[in-house]
Amino acid sequence: MTELTHPLATVPQDELVARAEADPLRPRFHFVSPAGWLNDPNGVSHWDGTYHLFYQYNPEGAFHHRIQWGHATSTDLVTWVDQPVALEPSEGPDADGCWSGVLVNDGGTPTLVYSGRAEGKELPCVAVGTPDLLSWTKDPGNPVIGAPPAGVDITAYRDHCVWREGSTWRQLVGSGIRGLGGTAFLYESSDLRSWDYLGPLFIGDASQGDPVDTDWTGTMWECVDLFRAGEGSLGSAPADGAPDVLVFSAWDDGETRHPLYWTGRYSGDTFEPEALHRLDYGGRFFYAPQSFQDESNRRVMFGWMQEGRSDAAMVEAGWSGVMSLPRVTTLAKDGTLEFAPVPEIEKLRRSHVSVPGHVMVAAGTSVETGVSGHQLDLELDMQLAPGAEVRLGVLTSPDGAEETLIVLSRAADGTPSGTLRLDRSRSSLDPDVDGEDKSGPLPMTDGRVHLRVLVDRSAVEIFANGKPLTARVYPTMGGGRVTLAATEGSARLLSFDAWTMAGIFDSTRNLIPEGL
Ligand code: DQQ
């Protein structure tokens, strides 16, 4: 094991795993690192029937420093096997960290394109893998791009999206142009090693909107991800008119703001934007998402559910960061994206409670759910009358002092719109955790809402009519009751099913995994 060198490495490495596993707030059916720090998903892929999830990892402790690429594999996207660390910093262009990147198939050779960090800046690097993807060799020519584009005053430069178009490779590197906004620089190569710069794919406008807005595009775009949201591959004529989608995480001066996406058309060397959308109403709690197309042609996305507790509390806990459940991304009729957890997750469902449906819930009344737990999958169908507001409470303490509220409301004028809101003001008695409200528009027809809520201790993922809201909560009282009440108007509860969820790791993990 490496020596403890960082001032935040106050917990001895051999105590980290035990510390992390003892934390009642640590999720049990989401992927988390063995202990220490986890952030972005990297190199997400499906290779010869095996899913690969690499991730930004610091096994030294629960803080971001000298990042390595952790690695786990799965055959079902549900249970994961820890594999040896894929990349770690070494002398040269990644001496201070192996930052985010992707995996591509170079004529059968697994190849990683990532950002090497050294001397305070990041540059593109390449590594090739053995056929089992377990052992990686860095390219002697790293960095493969020696500097950001000349003559452009950039805010930062890192992270990669790489795809094959005909006989050439194309690559985007996330960046920002000072005084203008976020951008992604486009490059081309025949061999993934020698790259020609083609120009900015598209430049955002940071002067648009207010920096506090939930859809402000920031001064730099991290983790850009470009894909076709339908039939056909990037660069081809869209058979079904499906848009291209440019996902990015808006960043500003060291602050991770929120993931957004443009729908539009990528053609030639540019992207013609059509509309800007929020990717997840939880904002920074679903950050740096990365997606891939699996062998059954589904677009599957993972995101980093970062913490809402203090740096000191993370260090003490011995772990930080949760990987979201993988979600299937599809195109909704209105041209936006919609999301659902992969159906494979249902394998983890255990005891089932069915709350009687077809009951009216009137303002001021509540339904006795009889459901309780810290690891739950809840699925509800409801119909809200115009002006109705319904609250589903989870992780509720016996006395109700702590409760996390998922609030659904329908516009009073009967239009097909409403709001999804997460009220965390009473989620925790701990005054130091993030309790900010999260919300966004909820499209609905005739007041109908299909709600799916996955509660995994401090990790909560909500999908309402396909719109996601992801966040973290830190209850202190150990409550697990589930409550349902109407506060305005009335709603018909059509169905309500609840399951407890099994955990995915049943034995103690190794901080530095050796694989099987
Ligand atoms: N995290 C990585 C960067 C990326 C950022 C470093 C996003 O490559 O820009 O761990 O969270």
Side-chain angles (χ1 to χ4, degrees):
M1 286 197 183
T2 44
E3 268 182 62
L4 302 186
T5 50
H6 194 280
L8 286 176
T10 50
V11 179
Q13 268 191 300
D14 55 8
E15 281 178 29
L16 279 175
V17 172
R19 201 59 90 109
E21 291 183 353
D23 184 353
L25 292 170
R26 187 164 150 95
R28 302 294 201 264
F29 65 92
H30 281 71
F31 182 82
V32 282
S33 60
W37 170 276
L38 165 149
N39 60 298
D40 315 348
N42 291 155
V44 295
S45 48
H46 200 187
W47 187 286
D48 283 343
T50 299
Y51 290 101
H52 291 263
L53 171 63
F54 301 85
Y55 56 93
Q56 295 278 284
Y57 184 34
N58 180 18
E60 197 183 350
F63 51 93
H64 187 270
H65 178 63
R66 245 186 134 251
I67 292 295
Q68 318 184 349
W69 275 43
H71 184 196
T73 54
S74 172
T75 51
D76 60 4
L77 285 172
V78 179
T79 53
W80 295 92
V81 176
D82 287 318
Q83 300 292 356
V85 163
L87 293 175
E88 54 182 316
S90 56
E91 212 178 302
D94 65 10
D96 298 331
C98 300
W99 284 23
S100 286
V102 291
L103 170 78
V104 291
N105 183 339
D106 184 13
T109 304
T111 305
L112 304 178
V113 182
Y114 67 101
S115 291
R117 177 174 169 89
E119 294 165 6
K121 58 177 198 281
E122 295 85 46
L123 289 171
C125 292
V126 164
V128 291
T130 46
D132 58 7
L133 281 69
L134 296 186
S135 179
W136 298 87
T137 306
K138 295 175 189 174
D139 195 281
N142 282 340
V144 294
I145 299 175
V152 191
D153 186 9
I154 57 162
T155 49
Y157 175 81
R158 57 174 171 266
D159 311 334
H160 313 266
C161 173
V162 182
W163 68 99
R164 185 109 187 140
E165 216 173 293
S167 57
T168 55
W169 290 102
R170 286 201 147 196
Q171 164 166 215
L172 292 174
V173 182
S175 190
I177 301 177
R178 214 173 291 283
L180 293 178
T183 192
F185 292 126
L186 179 64
Y187 295 81
E188 196 166 68
S189 169
S190 58
D191 62 0
L192 293 168
R193 309 294 191 284
S194 155
W195 292 92
D196 294 324
Y197 174 55
L198 302 177
L201 180 80
F202 163 48
I203 306 170
D205 182 355
S207 71
Q208 284 285 309
D210 194 307
V212 300
D213 292 347
T214 50
D215 62 354
W216 183 55
T217 58
T219 54
M220 190 253 162
W221 293 352
E222 294 192 300
C223 300
V224 288
D225 188 14
L226 177 68
F227 57 86
R228 168 73 49 86
E231 297 295 310
S233 49
L234 283 177
S236 66
D240 54 2
D244 296 319
V245 174
L246 180 64
V247 174
F248 62 98
S249 288
W251 180 93
D252 179 47
D253 198 17
E255 234 189 279
T256 51
R257 302 298 287 271
H258 39 241
L260 300 172
Y261 65 96
W262 294 95
T263 48
R265 178 66 59 222
Y266 158 68
S267 141
D269 299 340
T270 55
F271 181 85
E272 190 57 48
E274 198 180 291
L276 176 70
H277 305 277
R278 294 166 68 193
L279 185 78
D280 188 297
Y281 297 154
R284 73 178 197 94
F285 290 111
F286 187 82
Y287 198 75
Q290 192 181 93
S291 71
F292 67 105
Q293 200 159 21
D294 78 355
E295 287 166 1
S296 42
N297 281 333
R298 300 181 298 181
R299 180 146 296 270
V300 177
M301 185 179 280
F302 287 91
W304 166 39
M305 298 177 65
Q306 57 180 302
E307 300 290 326
R309 53 181 169 181
S310 71
D311 293 355
M314 296 183 219
V315 166
E316 269 304 289
W319 70 282
S320 171
V322 177
M323 197 57 73
S324 76
L325 295 172
R327 22 181 103 158
V328 181
T329 309
T330 48
L331 190 65
K333 284 200 194 83
D334 65 0
T336 62
L337 295 180
E338 56 186 21
F339 300 87
V342 295
E344 287 93 322
I345 295 298
E346 293 164 25
K347 277 190 188 173
L348 297 172
R349 289 175 170 175
R350 294 294 181 267
S351 47
H352 174 221
V353 173
S354 184
V355 180
H358 295 281
V359 285
M360 284 301 288
V361 196
T365 64
S366 58
V367 167
E368 197 45 65
T369 72
V371 178
S372 162
H374 306 104
Q375 295 168 215
L376 295 171
D377 185 354
L378 311 174
E379 199 159 8
L380 293 82
D381 279 289
M382 274 179 286
Q383 185 162 23
L384 275 61
E389 183 184 87
V390 177
R391 297 175 171 209
L392 179 73
V394 297
L395 300 171
T396 308
S397 60
D399 62 358
E402 279 188 341
E403 183 163 47
T404 293
L405 291 169
I406 296 137
V407 186
L408 306 173
S409 52
R410 180 179 173 188
D413 60 7
T415 52
S417 66
T419 305
L420 165 65
R421 184 164 71 87
L422 182 68
D423 176 349
R424 294 182 299 156
S425 57
R426 286 190 301 109
S427 289
S428 177
L429 295 181
D430 180 346
D432 295 329
V433 301
D434 180 343
E436 201 196 348
D437 247 34
K438 298 285 176 191
S439 64
L442 174 60
M444 54 176 81
T445 309
D446 295 336
R448 290 263 187 163
V449 182
H450 178 73
L451 179 67
R452 180 94 180 268
V453 180
L454 292 130
V455 178
D456 192 3
R457 295 166 185 265
S458 61
V460 179
E461 296 194 54
I462 303 161
F463 300 85
N465 288 346
K467 296 294 169 201
L469 194 165
T470 305
R472 304 291 306 279
V473 290
Y474 301 90
T476 62
M477 301 174 75
R481 286 196 299 130
V482 174
T483 64
L484 179 67
T487 35
E488 303 278 346
S490 65
R492 182 175 291 278
L493 178 66
L494 302 170
S495 64
F496 185 167
D497 290 282
W499 294 265
T500 57
M501 296 290 272
I504 58 170
F505 293 105
D506 33 53
S507 52
T508 297
R509 296 167 70 194
N510 281 332
L511 186 66
I512 312 291
E514 285 155 13
L516 281 185

